[in-house]
């Protein structure tokens, strides 16, 4: 619980700078920043993406862990869970077959919303790790006052957000058979 709170409350840029200090400067295990194209070597490309991936994923992973915990604790109090246990089902079957399956709907919603947060965090992470990406392009466009490029990037991010929400709505029908959309 404490680690999840730390993961949620730590800003992305601060975590990124600390990861660079520990793994690139102190232990010299990973390169500190930059981008290496995939055609110049798979390991070099992957080694340069480890720290940014941890930086982006740590906060969202902690957030999802807290949400999953609260959904599971809330679902464990339901009557159908007590009934499943009374029938003699194993604890594993109760947890995976009943508790987590019924908790997937709110978790799917939260996972979809975290994609929007990841897109915002990518802007900062690309700056910290000197990675050429859409976030860095957005910052450069703002500094150059290139309004058509800014509008295009914002439109692209909004399109991705709408697409993610559409996929989540379609997933609802697969996760919960009671949900049906108009035919």
């Amino acid at each position: 619980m404490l680690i999840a709170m730390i993961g949620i409350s730590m800003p992305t840029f601060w975590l990124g700078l600390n990861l660079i200090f520990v793994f690139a400067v102190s232990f010299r295990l990973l390169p500190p920043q930059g981008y290496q194209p995939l055609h110049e070597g798979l390991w070099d490309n992957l080694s340069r993406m480890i720290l940014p991936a941890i930086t982006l994923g740590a906060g969202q992973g902690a957030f999802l862990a807290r949400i999953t915990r609260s959904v599971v604790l809330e679902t464990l109090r339901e009557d159908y869970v007590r009934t499943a246990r009374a029938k003699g089902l194993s604890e594993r079957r109760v947890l995976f077959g009943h508790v987590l399956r019924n908790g997937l709907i709110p978790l799917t919603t939260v996972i979809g919303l975290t994609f929007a947060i990841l897109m915002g965090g990518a802007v900062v992470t690309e700056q910290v790790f000197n990675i050429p990406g859409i976030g860095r392009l957005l910052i450069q466009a703002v500094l150059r006052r290139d309004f058509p490029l800014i509008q295009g990037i914002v439109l692209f991010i909004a399109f991705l957000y709408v697409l993610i929400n559409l996929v989540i709505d379609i997933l609802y029908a697969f996760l919960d058979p009671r949900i049906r959309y108009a035919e």
Side-chain angles (χ1 to χ4, degrees):
M1 188 70 164
L2 178 66
I3 293 174
M5 286 300 295
I6 291 171
I8 291 171
S9 63
M10 187 174 295
T12 307
F13 71 90
W14 182 250
L15 178 61
L17 291 174
N18 283 320
L19 288 174
I20 289 172
F21 179 73
V22 170
F23 292 106
V25 176
S26 297
F27 295 127
R28 297 181 192 265
L29 294 173
L30 296 167
Q33 60 183 1
Y35 172 75
Q36 191 72 25
L38 190 59
H39 63 81
E40 292 185 18
L42 179 65
W43 170 247
D44 200 30
N45 178 277
L46 289 177
S47 68
R48 292 178 186 273
M49 293 297 130
I50 291 172
L51 292 179
I54 292 171
T55 301
L56 279 174
Q60 302 310 313
F63 180 65
L64 286 175
R66 290 205 55 201
I67 296 296
T68 304
R69 179 182 181 276
S70 67
V71 165
V72 166
L73 289 176
E74 182 179 326
T75 309
L76 282 172
R77 295 186 197 113
E78 296 292 331
D79 291 335
Y80 60 86
V81 174
R82 265 185 265 131
T83 304
R85 284 184 177 143
K87 285 181 175 180
L89 294 177
S90 67
E91 194 63 30
R92 180 183 176 110
R93 175 82 183 221
V94 169
L95 183 66
F96 287 106
H98 295 281
V99 175
L100 285 178
R101 182 169 179 180
N102 288 310
L104 280 179
I105 295 291
L107 283 177
T108 305
T109 304
V110 171
I111 288 170
L113 294 175
T114 59
F115 275 107
I117 298 169
L118 281 175
M119 285 187 260
V123 174
V124 175
T125 303
E126 288 173 4
Q127 291 296 316
V128 169
F129 289 98
N130 195 22
I131 299 172
I134 202 161
R136 182 175 208 133
L137 182 63
L138 179 63
I139 297 237
Q140 290 172 351
V142 167
L143 293 175
R144 288 186 313 231
R145 295 189 176 144
D146 188 357
F147 296 116
L149 184 58
I150 294 169
Q151 289 173 337
I153 292 172
V154 169
L155 184 65
F156 177 71
I157 291 172
F159 171 75
L160 285 178
Y161 192 71
V162 169
L163 184 67
I164 289 168
N165 281 324
L166 174 67
V167 169
I168 288 169
D169 284 344
I170 293 170
L171 276 175
Y172 284 161
F174 291 111
L175 294 174
D176 191 355
R178 296 173 295 177
I179 297 175
R180 293 287 166 226
Y181 298 108
E183 296 174 8

